[in-house]
Amino acid sequence: MKTIDVCLSPELIHLYDVSNKTVVVVDILRATSCMVTAFAHGVESITPIADADECMKMKYKGFVVSGERNGQKIEGFDKGNSPFEYMDETIRGLKIAFTTTNGTQAIEKSKGARQILIGSFLNLSAITKYLLMSDHNILIVCAGWKGKINLEDSLFAGALVDKLRKHIEPDCDAPIVAQELYLSAKNDMVKFLSTSSHVKRLNKLNIHKDIEFCLTPDQYDVIPALKRSELHLL
Ligand code: MLT
């Protein structure tokens, strides 16, 4: 039977052999939710970049530069990190260079995996369907916050484990921890997350509507996947 494991923080990724695994990177609030939304609305590619200065340089190569630090749009960048900035017709066909506090760092640290996919509640069923058909073992990499574990990414990991569990064996205890967390939260995830550190951070920045949207399952039937250094639709 295939296995599934959960890396609760990118700082723990050295404990896993990713070379033969399909890695699902997740940053629910809000990087991977944004990426999924952007692909659902027709962007051509997203280049995830860990460093903000490197990302800014991409502007001179014709890329739209997007991202945030500590939740706020970076000065001089074209776009920030709200999914609502990636929903209109003007983003169709764009090539975006993207940097975020944690999400793009988690993608960088996952390089070397057999395959890297971008997951969020917004494309939960699409990811589930694909993983059920694939032959490879799975690792969910939670972006967390600056190396620490966070609630919302762990919750997503639990939701994905819950959907796959009948068919895929947990490799360790982290998938079981995440699934139990999800089962206790699933009836009202917004309420469950109301005390989480990043929800409090976003609320302080008056970013409220993103939270509920990013927790809404199955809005989009798309899976972004890393091909060389760019994300494209699978
Ligand atoms: C991140 O990458 O840490 C986040 O997406 C932060 C945010 O909410 O903008």
Side-chain angles (χ1 to χ4, degrees):
M1 209 186 218
K2 278 189 302 191
T3 64
I4 186 160
D5 212 337
V6 177
C7 175
L8 289 165
S9 155
E11 294 299 317
L12 299 174
I13 202 158
H14 61 278
L15 301 175
Y16 302 86
D17 176 10
V18 295
S19 63
N20 59 353
K21 288 192 170 67
T22 293
V23 164
V24 179
V25 177
V26 52
D27 182 353
I28 294 302
L29 297 174
R30 298 161 292 168
T32 59
S33 302
C34 250
M35 291 168 180
V36 167
T37 303
F39 276 104
H41 290 85
V43 293
E44 186 187 321
S45 68
I46 294 179
T47 305
I49 298 176
D51 183 76
D53 292 334
E54 287 305 310
C55 190
M56 185 59 164
K57 286 183 196 155
M58 298 294 276
K59 200 167 175 140
Y60 308 106
K61 294 184 181 167
F63 285 72
V64 167
V65 291
S66 292
E68 57 67 46
R69 281 297 177 269
N70 300 315
Q72 289 179 291
K73 183 179 159 189
I74 299 170
E75 212 184 311
F77 272 40
D78 301 305
K79 285 178 179 290
N81 192 30
S82 167
F84 292 98
E85 294 175 79
Y86 299 87
M87 284 182 182
D88 64 52
E89 272 304 303
T90 60
I91 68 150
R92 189 162 291 282
L94 293 184
K95 286 173 79 70
I96 296 178
F98 212 115
T99 186
T100 69
T101 311
N102 304 286
T104 56
Q105 321 297 327
I107 295 172
E108 186 61 38
K109 288 207 161 110
S110 301
K111 284 181 178 168
R114 201 193 149 274
Q115 182 181 36
I116 297 177
L117 308 177
I118 299 300
S120 69
F121 282 106
L122 302 172
N123 67 342
L124 177 60
S125 287
I127 285 270
T128 305
K129 226 180 297 162
Y130 177 80
L131 293 175
L132 281 172
M133 282 177 347
S134 150
D135 292 331
H136 301 283
N137 293 335
I138 301 156
L139 178 67
I140 305 168
V141 174
C142 299
W145 182 262
K146 299 186 180 177
K148 296 179 180 168
I149 291 167
N150 75 16
L151 216 42
E152 61 274 14
D153 298 342
S154 310
L155 204 55
F156 170 82
L160 189 51
V161 170
D162 192 57
K163 281 190 166 260
L164 297 170
R165 183 83 186 264
K166 284 200 188 104
H167 312 275
I168 299 178
E169 191 77 29
D171 209 10
C172 194
D173 288 351
I176 303 168
V177 171
Q179 187 187 21
E180 290 299 328
L181 185 74
Y182 170 69
L183 292 176
S184 62
K186 68 175 186 175
N187 291 335
D188 193 345
M189 292 197 290
V190 176
K191 187 166 172 225
F192 185 81
L193 287 178
S194 61
T195 55
S196 85
S197 55
H198 199 46
V199 164
K200 286 202 250 172
R201 199 175 291 115
L202 291 175
N203 278 331
K204 262 193 208 149
L205 296 169
N206 277 323
I207 300 167
H208 309 294
K209 65 177 182 171
D210 294 20
I211 298 166
E212 198 164 339
F213 180 71
C214 292
L215 295 174
T216 312
D218 299 336
Q219 295 302 291
Y220 305 124
D221 194 20
V222 298
I223 304 176
L226 197 69
K227 294 177 185 157
R228 297 203 176 86
S229 59
E230 292 187 346
L231 292 167
H232 287 269
L233 280 179
L234 191 67

